[in-house]
Amino acid sequence: MAPRVWVRRLEELDQSVGLVIGDECCLVIDTGISAESGFALATAVREKTDLPWQVAYTHDHFDHWFGTSAFGESAIWAVGDGAHYVSVGDEQRKAWAARYRREGREEDARRIGATKLVPPNCRVSGAIGLDLGGRTVVLRQVGLAHSDNDMVVEVPDAGVLFAGDLLENGAPPSYDGAFPYEWPQAVEYLLSWKPAIVVPGHGDPADYWWARAQARDLAEIARLCGEVAQGFLSEEEALAHNPFGEAVMRTALDRCKALAPAAPEPQAPAAAPTPPPPAVVYEVFDYSVDLTQR
């Protein structure tokens, strides 16, 4: 993509993973779907450099970090903590193994079922400048967007942004577990430095203007969700007129409903006010006191 900045395309799920090389170490960005894919990635990295490596997870979805066991002991950067990754990773491993078996893909089910989970050991909060030796990359916490733990990797001296699944090329974005209203705002902010090359989590790398176009489409989904929620549009209208198709729009609408605050509990009718006590009226009478008498 740029001097000492590489992208490797994986066949499974059309995923894009990254490599940024400094003078003293290198950074591997996401590691693939299983130990086998991780081993193939580690071998490819060693064809480019023999420097020690560190690893960055763009978020906690299994296809971005299940290949890390091939990299041995290393610093692993992520927004979510290790306990969170192990918990969600175990759930995803079981769910995808079952899915592969239903599809008759026994070998894929075996691979993912046998994958060792390697949680992150370096937590990113806000933004961190990571010195690779002669080159600093920025690991930036995104906030609520595609997930609640997205992280991007900026390579300022090369003009490259590794966006994870905040952006996808060749397939629509996934709103399962996403935050439709916050997502486009996060992408607009991340593009504010106008990176020349944007690497999506899946699909071909593209340029800044492609990323801006997808950010506008994300904003349109957010606008449609808001108008449906306020009653300005019907769900049928939103499903028929959106940039990503009916299935994606339905998922976004369902997700907005799930995130909406619960309706307040109905209140019991207020008890009738207690009447004030009756007023006591005393008769007024004149009296005098003779102060001379003791």
Side-chain angles (χ1 to χ4, degrees):
M1 296 291 100
R4 299 187 297 170
V5 180
W6 302 85
V7 172
R8 181 177 176 85
R9 295 290 303 285
L10 307 183
E11 182 177 354
E12 184 75 18
L13 301 180
D14 194 24
Q15 191 176 6
S16 295
V17 297
L19 171 66
V20 182
I21 303 174
D23 295 334
E24 298 174 4
C25 67
C26 64
L27 180 68
V28 178
I29 303 161
D30 291 336
T31 59
I33 193 172
S34 66
E36 274 94 346
S37 64
F39 180 79
L41 175 60
T43 301
V45 170
R46 280 293 169 249
E47 294 173 356
K48 301 298 181 187
T49 179
D50 60 358
L51 291 172
W53 49 41
Q54 301 185 53
V55 176
Y57 295 161
T58 57
H59 61 297
D60 64 6
H61 293 169
F62 78 103
D63 50 321
H64 295 264
W65 66 283
F66 272 25
T68 307
S69 60
F71 289 84
E73 294 292 332
S74 62
I76 303 171
W77 300 85
V79 170
D81 62 23
H84 166 80
Y85 265 78
V86 170
S87 174
V88 300
D90 190 52
E91 293 175 3
Q92 293 177 85
R93 180 169 55 185
K94 293 174 182 176
W96 277 85
R99 173 175 172 172
Y100 286 145
R101 288 193 180 94
R102 289 195 301 270
E103 296 172 354
R105 299 168 61 180
E106 283 296 331
E107 185 60 23
D108 290 328
R110 183 199 63 77
R111 286 195 185 101
I112 197 169
T115 291
K116 177 184 177 182
L117 303 183
V118 183
N121 50 36
C122 299
R123 191 165 185 180
V124 175
S125 179
I128 292 176
L130 185 61
D131 184 7
L132 303 180
R135 159 176 273 171
T136 298
V137 299
V138 179
L139 310 180
R140 189 178 300 279
Q141 181 181 16
V142 175
L144 304 179
H146 171 68
S147 71
D148 63 0
N149 61 97
D150 291 299
M151 184 179 78
V152 299
V153 178
E154 301 169 357
V155 192
D157 67 344
V160 177
L161 170 68
F162 288 89
D165 283 2
L166 293 171
L167 297 168
E168 297 199 27
N169 195 1
S174 172
Y175 279 88
D176 293 306
F179 297 82
Y181 295 130
E182 292 86 355
W183 191 345
Q185 302 171 39
V187 173
E188 286 286 357
Y189 172 74
L190 295 169
L191 294 175
S192 61
W193 66 286
K194 296 186 69 174
I197 300 170
V198 179
V199 181
H202 301 265
D204 286 327
D207 63 9
Y208 164 78
W209 294 106
W210 167 84
R212 281 295 306 273
Q214 188 159 121
R216 286 194 295 272
D217 288 342
L218 293 169
E220 177 66 4
I221 293 289
R223 185 184 69 83
L224 291 171
C225 287
E227 292 190 356
V228 170
Q230 296 172 70
F232 298 145
L233 282 180
S234 68
E235 287 196 9
E236 289 71 23
E237 289 173 312
L239 293 172
H241 303 282
N242 72 85
F244 294 127
E246 181 175 325
V248 173
M249 188 72 232
R250 189 179 300 279
T251 302
L253 289 169
D254 290 344
R255 180 63 177 160
C256 286
K257 292 176 187 176
L259 293 171
E265 293 290 333
Q267 300 295 319
T274 303
V280 178
V281 179
Y282 297 94
E283 294 182 359
V284 178
F285 56 90
D286 295 329
Y287 63 92
S288 61
V289 177
D290 186 355
L291 297 178
T292 64
Q293 301 295 322
R294 292 186 180 271

